Amino acid sequence: MSYTGRYPNARPRRLRQTDWVRRLTREHTLSPDDLIWALIVHDGADAEVPVAAMPGVARLNVRAAADAAKRAAKLGIPAIAIFPHIDGAKKDAAGKEALNPNGLVCSAVRAMKDAAPDVGIMVDVALDPFTDHGHDGLLEDGRILNDETVAVLAEQALIQVKAGADIVAPSDMMDGRVGAIRAALDGAGHQDTLIMSYAAKYASAFYGPYREAIGSAKALKGDKRTYQMDFGNTDEALREVAMDVAEGADMLLVKPGIAYLDIVTRVKATFGLPTYAFQVSGEYAMIKAASANGWVDEDRIVIETLTAFKRAGADGVVTYFAPKAAEMLG
Ligand code: PBG
């Protein structure tokens, strides 16, 4: 509750008249500490392959990803989340390449930890970059199998952690996967590895450019509405989060970002755990497209949107703008 007097004794504009008083009274601020850099890696030879739908974002090879980790350390960005684009020839119906301890993700994790040991590395736990049908789970007769998928995800998470990942982030939305991953990690002596659960993840058109980025756009058959949430729902998000918390999630993620600030606020207020928002590919692309046309000021809108996540209650933001924002803030 906020109290105020009555005009003319109270004049809210007094607090806005100069830059110093605005800074002094600002309630929410942004710092590089709030950023998790979303980074696309690929298994090709080229250091960088631009993603057409995300101007300014490129898929990086393992070496370039290691350099990016050093850059994050310099910029004061605490963590990087990596997402893989693999050669289409390595994809199959079961997404077996997800379990390759010498595959792209594990190689990138090792190289990045080697280059910048003090930068946290977060990995995505899901099968969609590896399946030829583009779904996050195993597909049988047009249905996504839950429990069978969960068993594979637990294995995938353990392999990534053995490669050195600091945070595993299941983004698949299968039921029960956080508990299964926690048990698999603990069973192998990795009690201290963090789990950031994509606890409330909605089936969203905002993921469009990402599917180009990881090369699953053409592959995806159907949609993800039998596992990702319906965008009309709020209470369901709290039930999803409650289950993940009970299963051992350390940190919570709400996704997409800017259109879901109400969910961020409610999740943070209800559970009080470290809570993050994901400013996803479509949000990035929209800002880039509008600013390329001169319709919005990119620098200002990046800081404004990222600060909005903080205001809504997020402890930080996963964003493709992380290096740009950190440069501006630094
Ligand atoms: C899937 C996954 C997606 C994103 C991260 N992990 C897309 C999807 O669910 O289809 C989206 C990220 C973005 O749009 O930036 N496991």
Side-chain angles (χ1 to χ4, degrees):
M1 185 53 189
S2 195
Y3 296 93
T4 190
R6 278 195 189 190
Y7 173 84
N9 293 344
R11 288 181 181 269
R13 289 185 54 194
R14 276 187 210 119
L15 291 172
R16 297 182 206 132
Q17 57 191 316
T18 59
D19 181 62
W20 69 261
V21 77
R22 287 192 296 269
R23 279 191 285 129
L24 192 63
T25 57
R26 185 166 295 144
E27 297 171 45
H28 300 280
T29 55
L30 189 67
S31 102
D33 290 342
D34 301 317
L35 304 172
I36 299 175
W37 182 358
L39 192 84
I40 315 283
V41 294
H42 79 138
D43 54 6
D46 296 336
E48 297 193 5
V49 178
V51 178
M54 301 177 71
V57 166
R59 302 174 192 135
L60 306 183
N61 71 4
V62 168
R63 218 194 191 152
D67 291 341
K70 285 189 204 153
R71 186 171 168 217
K74 279 206 197 80
L75 290 170
I77 297 172
I80 299 180
I82 58 174
F83 302 92
H85 174 287
I86 69 165
D87 179 356
K90 291 186 191 149
K91 299 189 185 190
D92 60 22
K96 277 199 287 302
E97 182 63 17
L99 303 180
N100 181 356
N102 297 309
L104 171 61
V105 172
C106 291
S107 307
V109 169
R110 279 191 287 265
M112 293 167 85
K113 288 308 295 184
D114 205 39
D118 296 332
V119 174
I121 301 296
M122 173 161 137
V123 290
D124 206 53
V125 183
L127 299 182
D128 57 313
F130 310 99
T131 53
D132 57 13
H133 46 70
H135 279 290
D136 295 34
L138 303 172
L139 185 64
E140 192 180 274
D141 302 330
R143 286 177 54 244
I144 300 297
L145 304 175
N146 192 85
D147 300 9
E148 292 81 350
T149 298
V150 168
V152 179
L153 296 174
E155 235 185 294
Q156 179 188 22
L158 182 55
I159 287 164
Q160 293 168 332
V161 169
K162 283 183 178 158
D166 300 296
I167 308 177
V168 291
S171 70
D172 56 287
M173 288 298 280
M174 297 301 121
D175 296 332
R177 86 280 204 222
V178 171
I181 291 169
R182 188 72 271 162
L185 298 185
D186 288 9
H190 297 288
Q191 296 85 349
D192 293 331
T193 302
L194 294 157
I195 300 179
M196 181 184 296
S197 171
Y198 284 70
K201 174 168 174 179
Y202 289 83
S204 171
F206 282 105
Y207 308 147
Y210 174 85
R211 293 182 188 156
E212 182 215 322
I214 68 155
S216 71
K218 285 196 198 79
L220 184 63
K221 297 189 178 76
D223 57 53
K224 301 190 175 185
R225 284 183 290 182
T226 69
Y227 44 107
Q228 299 178 350
M229 288 175 45
D230 187 301
F231 55 70
N233 296 348
T234 308
D235 289 339
E236 186 188 13
L238 298 185
R239 294 197 296 274
E240 279 282 358
V241 173
M243 286 178 71
D244 290 2
V245 171
E247 290 173 30
D250 302 287
M251 305 155 110
L252 305 169
L253 188 60
V254 172
K255 180 181 178 189
I258 208 73
Y260 295 80
L261 294 183
D262 56 323
I263 308 299
V264 172
T265 301
R266 240 182 125 190
V267 165
K268 182 65 181 180
T270 308
F271 298 94
L273 256 65
T275 302
Y276 301 82
F278 198 143
Q279 184 179 50
V280 299
S281 56
E283 301 173 57
Y284 177 90
M286 286 161 64
I287 290 174
K288 279 293 193 180
S291 56
N293 277 292
W295 297 334
V296 297
D297 178 323
E298 179 175 330
D299 289 6
R300 288 177 54 208
I301 217 163
V302 166
I303 298 299
E304 181 176 337
T305 52
L306 293 176
T307 305
F309 292 114
K310 296 290 303 288
R311 193 190 64 237
D315 295 284
V317 188
V318 183
T319 174
Y320 300 92
F321 283 120
K324 179 193 176 83
E327 263 161 21
M328 283 192 282
L329 295 166

